[in-house]
Structure formats: C-alpha cells, structure tokens
Amino acid sequence: MYEFDWSTIIPNLPYLLEGMWVTLKIAGSAILVGIAWGTALAIFRLAPPKFRWISYIAAAYVNTFRSVPLFMVLLWFYLIVPQLLQKFLNLSPETDIRFISAVVAFSLFEAAYYSEIIRAGLQSVARGQNSAAMALGMTPWQSMRLVILPQAFRAMTPLLLTQAVILFQDTSLVYIIGVADFFRSASNIGKTSGTEVEMVLFAGFVYFVICLSASLLVTYMKKRTTV
C-alpha cells in the first residue's frame, strides 16, 4: 500500500510561493489586458454601419481565438513571440521570454472571451440611456465611457470574475513551455524528492481552495447585483 509523505511541503514553501507569485502575475496581467482589449473588441463589434469593416475584423479575431485550443495558442506564441520581441525590442538574454510569451498568449486569448461577455453587457443596457446622454450634449464616446460602460460593468462583474477563475485554472498549462509557475514548481519538487504524487495532490488542493473561494465571492456578488 502506498504511504504518503507530506514532509517535503513545509521546507519547500518558499519555492512554492515563488511559483504561486509567477502564476498570479500571469493571471493578473492577462485579466487586466484581456478586459481592456476585450472591451475595445466589444465596442468594435457594435460599431455603426459605416464602420462595419471594424466589426468584421473584431468578429474574425474573436471567432479565431475561440476556435483554437489554448494549448495550441501557448505553443504558437512560445515559438513566435520570442523571435519578434528579440527583433524589435532587443531584449537582454536574461529576460524570461517564456514568461512574456505566456502573458501575451493568455492576454490575447482571454480577450476574445471577455469581449463576448462585455458585448452582452453593453447590449443589456437600455437604449434609452444612450439617447438620454446624447440629448444632454454628450458625444458618442462620452456616452459610452460615462454612461453605458459603468452600467454594463456593474451588471457583468460576476461573469468577468467567473472568467477570471477559469483563467487562473488555465495558467497551469504554462507547464508545457517550461514556465516555473506554481504547478511546475510543485512537480519539480516532487520529482526531486520522490514525492511527485503528494506534490501534485497538494498543488491541486491549493488550486481547489483558491477557485472555491473565488466562486463563493462570485455567488455573493451575483446576489448583490440582483437585489
């Protein structure tokens, strides 16, 4: 019968925390950039008829990224982004190009999903809100920025948080390109100490606790927004 050995967790906590910090930086960067770029894509997709070509380009972007597995996107950007960054930014050899590749891949990939959430949120705002803003002398951009977007974001905050939880779970996929995130750190410790089963189970438990806590927060915010 297999005997579990959890004794390697405590001595390696600093290493595990470093890995968790990498995971949080990837997730946090992708959430911020993804929401910002996703908002722009959502606005582009709702462009008026005379700018319909912008809507088509945005739709093609969203549909492309939503049709490709994240696994493949990570590999593509790992192979392409380093060469482009080295060429145009002249980065030093010490730069962790794998981390940058992961952030770029997650940001652009998640933006496609965030854009659909945000587009639905924008369409949920009553059209009369925009008409009232225009009647007050606002420009279309001022109406979008000051009236429509605040109401839309308040309504879709739970959905944005849910997508953020999914993104946090997906960050474990950076394992395939060698980024020393939390999961890879735990796996490396397990391989070195001969306790790979225990470390993988521990990593899964940590992901479960964090995601469960975030899900409970989402549920609480949904109740707040429906009241």
Side-chain angles (χ1 to χ4, degrees):
M1 183 177 179
Y2 185 83
E3 294 184 4
F4 291 97
D5 179 11
W6 308 99
S7 61
T8 56
I9 295 177
I10 299 300
N12 288 286
L13 277 180
Y15 184 58
L16 290 170
L17 290 175
E18 288 181 11
M20 178 56 72
W21 176 236
V22 172
T23 295
L24 293 176
K25 285 195 295 183
I26 293 174
S29 301
I31 290 170
L32 294 177
V33 177
I35 290 178
W37 180 224
T39 300
L41 288 171
I43 294 174
F44 293 159
R45 294 200 66 182
L46 298 175
K50 65 179 179 178
F51 296 113
R52 187 61 64 189
W53 60 274
I54 297 180
S55 177
Y56 290 149
I57 294 175
Y61 175 99
V62 171
N63 291 330
T64 298
F65 274 95
R66 285 168 60 89
S67 302
V68 179
L70 177 56
F71 180 87
M72 295 300 299
V73 174
L74 280 170
L75 288 178
W76 288 345
F77 278 87
Y78 177 60
L79 297 174
I80 297 173
V81 170
Q83 299 179 27
L84 294 177
L85 293 179
Q86 291 288 0
K87 180 178 179 180
F88 293 106
L89 300 181
N90 195 25
L91 298 177
S92 65
E94 290 78 18
T95 304
D96 189 353
I97 212 72
R98 293 172 301 181
F99 174 81
I100 296 176
S101 299
V103 170
V104 172
F106 271 103
S107 298
L108 297 183
F109 183 86
E110 291 298 325
Y113 288 86
Y114 277 123
S115 71
E116 291 298 275
I117 297 173
I118 295 169
R119 183 166 68 99
L122 293 174
Q123 291 177 322
S124 69
V125 178
R127 294 186 177 181
Q129 297 290 326
N130 184 61
S131 300
M134 300 293 284
L136 292 174
M138 292 186 181
T139 64
W141 168 241
Q142 288 175 326
S143 173
M144 177 64 69
R145 180 169 57 90
L146 301 175
V147 179
I148 307 301
L149 279 176
Q151 295 183 62
F153 270 102
R154 183 179 183 276
M156 62 192 173
T157 295
L159 291 176
L160 294 176
L161 289 175
T162 300
Q163 186 62 35
V165 174
I166 297 173
L167 167 58
F168 176 77
Q169 295 172 338
D170 289 342
T171 55
S172 60
L173 289 175
V174 299
Y175 179 94
I176 63 175
I177 60 174
V179 177
D181 70 321
F182 179 72
F183 181 77
R184 187 175 184 85
S185 298
S187 179
N188 289 342
I189 293 171
K191 290 178 180 178
T192 304
S193 61
T195 57
E196 190 170 7
V197 173
E198 290 84 346
M199 296 308 302
V200 170
L201 289 175
F202 174 72
F205 175 74
V206 172
Y207 276 105
F208 171 77
V209 170
I210 294 176
C211 293
L212 177 62
S213 301
S215 298
L216 293 176
L217 175 62
V218 171
T219 302
Y220 171 75
M221 295 195 69
K222 282 182 179 178
K223 292 180 179 179
R224 288 284 303 268
T225 55
T226 54
V227 173

Short mmCIF file of all heavy atoms in Angstrom, two decimals, residues 7-39:
data_model
loop_
_atom_site.label_atom_id
_atom_site.label_comp_id
_atom_site.label_asym_id
_atom_site.label_seq_id
_atom_site.Cartn_x
_atom_site.Cartn_y
_atom_site.Cartn_z
N SER A 7 6.08 15.45 4.10
CA SER A 7 7.11 16.20 4.83
C SER A 7 7.89 17.19 3.97
O SER A 7 8.56 18.07 4.49
CB SER A 7 8.10 15.22 5.49
OG SER A 7 8.75 14.43 4.50
N THR A 8 7.80 17.04 2.64
CA THR A 8 8.58 17.94 1.77
C THR A 8 7.88 19.27 1.50
O THR A 8 8.47 20.18 0.93
CB THR A 8 8.85 17.25 0.42
OG1 THR A 8 7.59 16.87 -0.18
CG2 THR A 8 9.71 16.03 0.59
N ILE A 9 6.63 19.40 1.93
CA ILE A 9 5.87 20.62 1.62
C ILE A 9 6.41 21.81 2.40
O ILE A 9 6.74 22.86 1.82
CB ILE A 9 4.37 20.41 1.91
CG1 ILE A 9 3.80 19.35 0.97
CG2 ILE A 9 3.61 21.72 1.75
CD1 ILE A 9 2.35 19.02 1.23
N ILE A 10 6.49 21.68 3.72
CA ILE A 10 6.90 22.81 4.57
C ILE A 10 8.29 23.34 4.21
O ILE A 10 8.47 24.56 4.03
CB ILE A 10 6.84 22.42 6.06
CG1 ILE A 10 5.40 22.03 6.44
CG2 ILE A 10 7.30 23.59 6.93
CD1 ILE A 10 4.38 23.13 6.25
N PRO A 11 9.32 22.49 4.09
CA PRO A 11 10.65 23.01 3.75
C PRO A 11 10.71 23.72 2.39
O PRO A 11 11.58 24.57 2.17
CB PRO A 11 11.53 21.76 3.74
CG PRO A 11 10.79 20.75 4.55
CD PRO A 11 9.34 21.03 4.31
N ASN A 12 9.80 23.38 1.49
CA ASN A 12 9.83 23.95 0.14
C ASN A 12 8.78 25.04 -0.07
O ASN A 12 8.55 25.45 -1.21
CB ASN A 12 9.62 22.84 -0.90
CG ASN A 12 10.81 21.92 -1.03
OD1 ASN A 12 11.84 22.28 -1.60
ND2 ASN A 12 10.68 20.73 -0.46
N LEU A 13 8.18 25.53 1.01
CA LEU A 13 7.17 26.57 0.87
C LEU A 13 7.69 27.83 0.17
O LEU A 13 6.98 28.42 -0.66
CB LEU A 13 6.59 26.93 2.25
CG LEU A 13 5.47 26.03 2.76
CD1 LEU A 13 4.99 26.50 4.13
CD2 LEU A 13 4.29 26.01 1.77
N PRO A 14 8.92 28.30 0.48
CA PRO A 14 9.42 29.49 -0.25
C PRO A 14 9.46 29.29 -1.76
O PRO A 14 9.09 30.18 -2.53
CB PRO A 14 10.82 29.68 0.32
CG PRO A 14 10.76 29.08 1.69
CD PRO A 14 9.85 27.89 1.54
N TYR A 15 9.88 28.10 -2.19
CA TYR A 15 9.93 27.80 -3.62
C TYR A 15 8.53 27.74 -4.21
O TYR A 15 8.27 28.23 -5.32
CB TYR A 15 10.67 26.48 -3.82
CG TYR A 15 10.90 26.09 -5.26
CD1 TYR A 15 11.58 26.93 -6.13
CD2 TYR A 15 10.44 24.87 -5.74
CE1 TYR A 15 11.79 26.57 -7.45
CE2 TYR A 15 10.65 24.50 -7.06
CZ TYR A 15 11.32 25.36 -7.91
OH TYR A 15 11.53 25.00 -9.22
N LEU A 16 7.61 27.15 -3.44
CA LEU A 16 6.22 27.07 -3.90
C LEU A 16 5.59 28.46 -3.99
O LEU A 16 4.82 28.75 -4.91
CB LEU A 16 5.40 26.18 -2.95
CG LEU A 16 5.73 24.68 -2.98
CD1 LEU A 16 5.03 23.96 -1.83
CD2 LEU A 16 5.31 24.07 -4.32
N LEU A 17 5.90 29.32 -3.03
CA LEU A 17 5.35 30.68 -3.04
C LEU A 17 5.88 31.47 -4.23
O LEU A 17 5.16 32.29 -4.81
CB LEU A 17 5.68 31.39 -1.73
CG LEU A 17 4.94 30.88 -0.49
CD1 LEU A 17 5.44 31.59 0.76
CD2 LEU A 17 3.43 31.10 -0.66
N GLU A 18 7.13 31.23 -4.59
CA GLU A 18 7.68 31.88 -5.79
C GLU A 18 6.90 31.44 -7.03
O GLU A 18 6.59 32.27 -7.90
CB GLU A 18 9.16 31.53 -5.95
CG GLU A 18 10.07 32.20 -4.94
CD GLU A 18 11.54 31.82 -5.17
OE1 GLU A 18 11.83 31.21 -6.23
OE2 GLU A 18 12.37 32.14 -4.31
N GLY A 19 6.60 30.16 -7.09
CA GLY A 19 5.81 29.66 -8.21
C GLY A 19 4.41 30.24 -8.23
O GLY A 19 3.88 30.58 -9.29
N MET A 20 3.80 30.37 -7.03
CA MET A 20 2.47 30.96 -6.96
C MET A 20 2.50 32.42 -7.39
O MET A 20 1.56 32.91 -8.04
CB MET A 20 1.92 30.83 -5.53
CG MET A 20 0.54 31.46 -5.33
SD MET A 20 -0.73 30.81 -6.46
CE MET A 20 -0.97 29.16 -5.76
N TRP A 21 3.56 33.13 -7.05
CA TRP A 21 3.69 34.52 -7.45
C TRP A 21 3.75 34.64 -8.98
O TRP A 21 3.15 35.54 -9.57
CB TRP A 21 4.91 35.14 -6.80
CG TRP A 21 5.21 36.56 -7.21
CD1 TRP A 21 6.36 37.05 -7.74
CD2 TRP A 21 4.34 37.68 -7.10
NE1 TRP A 21 6.28 38.39 -7.98
CE2 TRP A 21 5.04 38.81 -7.60
CE3 TRP A 21 3.03 37.85 -6.64
CZ2 TRP A 21 4.46 40.09 -7.65
CZ3 TRP A 21 2.45 39.12 -6.70
CH2 TRP A 21 3.17 40.21 -7.19
N VAL A 22 4.45 33.72 -9.62
CA VAL A 22 4.51 33.69 -11.09
C VAL A 22 3.11 33.44 -11.66
O VAL A 22 2.67 34.10 -12.61
CB VAL A 22 5.49 32.62 -11.59
CG1 VAL A 22 5.40 32.46 -13.10
CG2 VAL A 22 6.92 32.98 -11.19
N THR A 23 2.40 32.49 -11.07
CA THR A 23 1.04 32.18 -11.52
C THR A 23 0.14 33.39 -11.40
O THR A 23 -0.63 33.72 -12.32
CB THR A 23 0.46 31.02 -10.71
OG1 THR A 23 1.21 29.83 -10.97
CG2 THR A 23 -0.99 30.77 -11.06
N LEU A 24 0.21 34.08 -10.27
CA LEU A 24 -0.63 35.26 -10.04
C LEU A 24 -0.27 36.40 -10.98
O LEU A 24 -1.15 37.15 -11.43
CB LEU A 24 -0.51 35.71 -8.58
CG LEU A 24 -1.08 34.75 -7.53
CD1 LEU A 24 -0.81 35.28 -6.13
CD2 LEU A 24 -2.58 34.55 -7.75
N LYS A 25 1.01 36.55 -11.29
CA LYS A 25 1.42 37.62 -12.21
C LYS A 25 0.89 37.34 -13.61
O LYS A 25 0.42 38.26 -14.30
CB LYS A 25 2.94 37.74 -12.24
CG LYS A 25 3.54 38.41 -11.03
CD LYS A 25 4.98 38.83 -11.25
CE LYS A 25 5.89 37.63 -11.44
NZ LYS A 25 7.32 38.05 -11.59
N ILE A 26 0.95 36.08 -14.04
CA ILE A 26 0.42 35.74 -15.36
C ILE A 26 -1.09 35.96 -15.40
O ILE A 26 -1.62 36.59 -16.32
CB ILE A 26 0.75 34.28 -15.70
CG1 ILE A 26 2.26 34.09 -15.88
CG2 ILE A 26 0.02 33.85 -16.98
CD1 ILE A 26 2.68 32.65 -16.08
N ALA A 27 -1.78 35.46 -14.38
CA ALA A 27 -3.24 35.60 -14.34
C ALA A 27 -3.65 37.06 -14.24
O ALA A 27 -4.55 37.52 -14.95
CB ALA A 27 -3.81 34.80 -13.17
N GLY A 28 -2.99 37.83 -13.34
CA GLY A 28 -3.35 39.23 -13.15
C GLY A 28 -3.12 40.05 -14.41
O GLY A 28 -3.97 40.85 -14.81
N SER A 29 -1.97 39.84 -15.05
CA SER A 29 -1.67 40.58 -16.29
C SER A 29 -2.67 40.24 -17.38
O SER A 29 -3.15 41.13 -18.10
CB SER A 29 -0.25 40.25 -16.75
OG SER A 29 0.71 40.60 -15.78
N ALA A 30 -2.98 38.95 -17.51
CA ALA A 30 -3.91 38.52 -18.56
C ALA A 30 -5.32 39.05 -18.30
O ALA A 30 -6.03 39.40 -19.25
CB ALA A 30 -3.93 37.00 -18.65
N ILE A 31 -5.72 39.14 -17.04
CA ILE A 31 -7.05 39.67 -16.72
C ILE A 31 -7.13 41.15 -17.08
O ILE A 31 -8.09 41.60 -17.73
CB ILE A 31 -7.36 39.46 -15.22
CG1 ILE A 31 -7.59 37.97 -14.94
CG2 ILE A 31 -8.60 40.26 -14.81
CD1 ILE A 31 -7.68 37.64 -13.47
N LEU A 32 -6.12 41.93 -16.67
CA LEU A 32 -6.14 43.37 -16.95
C LEU A 32 -6.10 43.65 -18.45
O LEU A 32 -6.92 44.42 -18.98
CB LEU A 32 -4.97 44.05 -16.24
CG LEU A 32 -5.02 44.05 -14.71
CD1 LEU A 32 -3.76 44.68 -14.14
CD2 LEU A 32 -6.25 44.80 -14.21
N VAL A 33 -5.14 43.04 -19.13
CA VAL A 33 -5.01 43.27 -20.58
C VAL A 33 -6.21 42.67 -21.32
O VAL A 33 -6.73 43.28 -22.27
CB VAL A 33 -3.70 42.67 -21.11
CG1 VAL A 33 -3.60 42.85 -22.62
CG2 VAL A 33 -2.50 43.34 -20.44
N GLY A 34 -6.65 41.50 -20.88
CA GLY A 34 -7.77 40.84 -21.54
C GLY A 34 -9.05 41.66 -21.45
O GLY A 34 -9.79 41.77 -22.44
N ILE A 35 -9.32 42.23 -20.27
CA ILE A 35 -10.53 43.05 -20.12
C ILE A 35 -10.41 44.33 -20.94
O ILE A 35 -11.37 44.76 -21.60
CB ILE A 35 -10.78 43.36 -18.64
CG1 ILE A 35 -11.21 42.08 -17.90
CG2 ILE A 35 -11.85 44.44 -18.49
CD1 ILE A 35 -11.43 42.27 -16.42
N ALA A 36 -9.24 44.96 -20.92
CA ALA A 36 -9.04 46.20 -21.68
C ALA A 36 -9.21 45.96 -23.18
O ALA A 36 -9.96 46.67 -23.86
CB ALA A 36 -7.67 46.79 -21.38
N TRP A 37 -8.51 44.96 -23.71
CA TRP A 37 -8.59 44.65 -25.13
C TRP A 37 -9.95 44.07 -25.48
O TRP A 37 -10.50 44.33 -26.55
CB TRP A 37 -7.46 43.70 -25.52
CG TRP A 37 -7.40 43.28 -26.94
CD1 TRP A 37 -7.16 42.01 -27.39
CD2 TRP A 37 -7.53 44.08 -28.13
NE1 TRP A 37 -7.15 41.97 -28.77
CE2 TRP A 37 -7.37 43.24 -29.25
CE3 TRP A 37 -7.76 45.44 -28.33
CZ2 TRP A 37 -7.45 43.70 -30.56
CZ3 TRP A 37 -7.84 45.90 -29.65
CH2 TRP A 37 -7.68 45.04 -30.73
N GLY A 38 -10.51 43.28 -24.56
CA GLY A 38 -11.85 42.73 -24.78
C GLY A 38 -12.91 43.81 -24.86
O GLY A 38 -13.87 43.71 -25.65
N THR A 39 -12.76 44.86 -24.04
CA THR A 39 -13.70 45.99 -24.10
C THR A 39 -13.63 46.67 -25.45
O THR A 39 -14.65 47.01 -26.06
CB THR A 39 -13.39 47.00 -22.98
OG1 THR A 39 -13.50 46.35 -21.70
CG2 THR A 39 -14.37 48.17 -23.02
#
